Amino acid sequence: MKKNSILLLLIICSALYSKAQLPQTKSVFGRLYTVEDGLLQVPPKEKYAKVADSLDKNLEKNQNDTVSLFNRALIYYAYNQMLAAPYQRTKGTLENMTRAKELIEKAIRTGMNDFRAKQLRAQIYSELCFRFTGDESWMFNKVQFASRKKLFESYKLLANRYFDELAAQDKNNAYEYKKRKVDFIYNH
């Protein structure tokens, strides 16, 4: 009886643990995707809520844990990218992508050399640029527009620089990186 109880407890714990795994990634034609059930898609939000909380707690204890920084940035990216929130002005997406940018920059600055981190960084900057394409003249005053345009231009410059760096490092996908460079302009 006691052996059956222990076995049942182990099965339950392993099932719970397997549901709290980090999202897997896959690079396809130089683009980093999250993999959900074998498909390249946006993972269900509720599936990684506990993982995100755990990563946040871990980062409170160890702010320089590059793996946690990368994984938390990846989760922010997965739920705030164009595929997950196609309307540019979706509430919270710009703020969350900005947080993802801060996390991935810190991971790379702290010494993370994983090529996926560099891919994620370029994609985050590209997504940040996309978030500004929904700006219209009635939404902001002149000062706000000037501030947002400056931010957009700096993100565009960095996104394009990072895509160029990726193209130089990953010759097999150089065309794909060059094709994804940000070419739109900020206007209202």
Side-chain angles (χ1 to χ4, degrees):
M1 177 81 165
K2 189 175 183 179
K3 285 185 179 180
N4 288 341
S5 297
I6 292 172
L7 183 61
L8 181 63
L9 182 62
L10 287 172
I11 292 170
I12 291 171
C13 287
S14 67
L16 289 174
Y17 179 75
S18 68
K19 289 187 178 190
Q21 295 295 314
L22 293 166
Q24 296 179 6
T25 61
K26 185 173 185 174
S27 184
V28 179
F29 297 115
R31 186 174 192 87
L32 190 67
Y33 288 96
T34 53
V35 179
E36 188 63 33
D37 298 326
L39 302 172
L40 306 176
Q41 63 183 26
V42 177
K45 269 195 175 185
E46 63 280 353
K47 184 170 184 177
Y48 296 108
K50 289 182 182 178
V51 174
D53 289 343
S54 176
L55 289 168
D56 288 339
K57 288 177 186 171
N58 189 41
L59 288 169
E60 284 177 16
K61 294 176 189 171
N62 183 2
Q63 297 175 0
N64 295 327
D65 179 356
T66 56
V67 174
S68 293
L69 288 164
F70 172 81
N71 286 320
R72 191 60 180 107
L74 178 64
I75 291 172
Y76 273 120
Y77 173 79
Y79 295 130
N80 295 283
Q81 64 176 306
M82 190 184 331
L83 292 174
Y87 175 57
Q88 299 97 321
R89 308 264 319 137
T90 300
K91 185 176 180 173
T93 54
L94 178 61
E95 294 80 8
N96 289 335
M97 289 303 283
T98 302
R99 181 70 179 130
K101 171 192 69 83
E102 293 164 358
L103 292 169
I104 199 63
E105 286 290 0
K106 185 169 186 174
I108 292 170
R109 213 176 33 251
T110 307
M112 185 170 209
N113 292 320
D114 189 327
F115 189 73
R116 296 174 309 148
K118 294 174 184 178
Q119 286 177 308
L120 182 59
R121 177 176 61 180
Q123 288 175 208
I124 288 171
Y125 277 98
S126 179
E127 288 288 335
L128 280 166
C129 290
F130 169 73
R131 294 292 155 199
F132 287 93
T133 62
D135 289 2
E136 295 185 31
S137 60
W138 58 269
M139 293 178 173
F140 305 103
N141 63 37
K142 288 182 182 188
V143 173
Q144 291 170 320
F145 261 115
S147 172
R148 290 178 68 83
K149 181 176 183 173
K150 184 176 180 181
L151 207 52
F152 169 83
E153 293 297 333
S154 69
Y155 291 157
K156 179 180 176 178
L157 182 72
L158 289 169
N160 290 340
R161 178 178 4 143
Y162 295 143
F163 281 129
D164 284 339
E165 288 175 9
L166 290 169
Q169 292 176 353
D170 183 9
K171 302 277 187 208
N172 292 336
N173 292 303
Y175 174 75
E176 296 296 327
Y177 295 122
K178 296 218 181 266
K179 194 167 69 171
R180 288 205 323 266
K181 289 177 71 170
V182 178
D183 61 357
F184 44 88
I185 59 171
Y186 183 86
N187 58 18
H188 54 284

